[in-house]
Amino acid sequence: MTTIAMWSGPRNISTAMMYAFANRADCAVWDEPFYAHYLSATGITHPVGAEIIAAGETGYDAVVNMCLAKPDAATPVFYQKHMTHHMLTGQDWRWCLPLSNVFLIRSPERVLASYSAKREDVTLADIGFERQLDLFNMVADELGEAPLVIDCEDVLSSPADSLRTLCEKIGIRFEPAMLSWDPGPKPYDGVWAKHWYNAAWKSSGFADPKTDYPALSADLARIADLARPIYDKLRPHCLDLKTTTAPPHK
């Protein structure tokens, strides 16, 4: 049995990755386990925030215990889509050490262009880069080796190779079903999906990678400049993809 903790910031193809794993025959998924706790603990205003708190578990220890629960025998792979900024200062994050931790990264320019289209006021903390590095360093220090890192641009450029390599590193078999899914809402989507997942709901697989960088306002560019060194620290740890003779992604 395998539990995967996928750590990313928002607007980072994290929903598409969740959909990919959910399409496996042997996998159950959990969408942003700590979101309700994060909003309840911080008082931060988010779209449909009251619904999120009402629908979710707000106790940190209670969520941790559910994250550590053994997967069901019928679905021995348990995939958890985590947002790094939901992990708050002063909490003990070491609960995740027994899990297969993976860090999903994306260039800050692309993250900010996408995030700012959904939320007007944006800070560096909102996009989770600093906390992602904190978590990465904690796992690396505790386990004595760097955890798995995968760049969403690599996934978009070569989904089959990326997911095959990732599954091999985690110790589970790759399933071609991970490369596509049915469009529309999913029963495991969080209640926030109606605000954030419109593009994901229209998708039936991984989108083609963008070839140009988005234009950012001066304020967003300043945030990108702060986040870029963090991305540059994590990028060298990305998986070396094993290429195959599979048909090219369309």
Side-chain angles (χ1 to χ4, degrees):
M1 294 185 176
T2 302
T3 300
I4 302 161
M6 180 67 74
W7 298 100
S8 78
R11 317 312 288 174
N12 203 9
I13 75 162
S14 56
T15 303
M17 290 290 281
M18 178 176 69
Y19 287 178
F21 275 86
N23 226 34
R24 296 175 59 97
D26 61 354
C27 187
V29 302
W30 191 0
D31 193 6
E32 302 188 25
F34 289 93
Y35 201 169
H37 162 72
Y38 167 73
L39 293 182
S40 177
T42 63
I44 291 173
T45 300
H46 270 209
V48 300
E51 291 181 54
I52 295 169
I53 292 173
E57 172 58 63
T58 59
Y60 181 74
D61 290 341
V63 179
V64 167
N65 288 336
M66 288 187 284
C67 288
L68 294 175
K70 279 190 174 183
D72 186 271
T75 50
V77 178
F78 183 19
Y79 181 94
Q80 300 169 6
K81 171 195 167 191
H82 288 291
M83 293 288 104
T84 56
H85 59 290
H86 292 171
M87 298 292 100
L88 304 178
T89 301
Q91 294 172 337
D92 185 353
W93 306 328
R94 291 174 297 174
W95 61 267
C96 74
L97 294 175
L99 310 185
S100 294
N101 291 283
V102 185
F103 290 80
L104 178 65
I105 65 173
R106 191 181 195 186
S107 70
E109 294 81 6
R110 297 200 191 284
V111 170
L112 286 161
S114 180
Y115 190 85
S116 61
K118 290 289 186 178
R119 194 160 179 244
E120 185 174 349
D121 296 321
V122 185
T123 68
L124 178 61
D126 289 331
I127 58 174
F129 276 67
E130 293 173 304
R131 189 49 40 85
Q132 188 172 47
L133 182 61
D134 291 340
L135 287 160
F136 175 89
N137 286 337
M138 183 274 294
V139 174
D141 290 345
E142 291 284 343
L143 298 183
E145 61 181 3
L148 300 176
V149 179
I150 191 164
D151 194 316
C152 75
E153 297 304 319
D154 293 337
V155 177
L156 296 177
S157 296
S158 187
D161 293 336
S162 297
L163 292 176
R164 184 177 288 105
T165 302
L166 178 60
C167 288
E168 179 181 304
K169 291 292 186 181
I170 292 171
I172 59 177
R173 71 180 184 276
F174 167 71
E175 292 189 4
M178 299 174 72
L179 299 176
S180 62
W181 48 84
D182 292 333
K186 312 293 187 289
Y188 47 82
D189 286 335
V191 298
W192 51 90
K194 58 190 174 184
H195 179 81
W196 295 99
Y197 293 1
N198 58 309
W201 283 354
K202 293 176 182 177
S203 72
S204 58
F206 291 99
D208 291 321
K210 294 180 173 62
T211 57
D212 58 338
Y213 272 87
L216 299 177
S217 68
D219 287 342
L220 292 178
R222 281 192 286 271
I223 297 173
D225 288 343
L226 295 173
R228 169 56 66 169
I230 298 173
Y231 173 81
D232 290 341
K233 286 181 180 178
L234 294 175
R235 174 65 197 176
H237 295 284
C238 282
L239 295 176
D240 290 327
L241 303 185
K242 292 189 175 181
T243 57
T244 69
T245 57
H249 175 53
K250 296 181 180 179

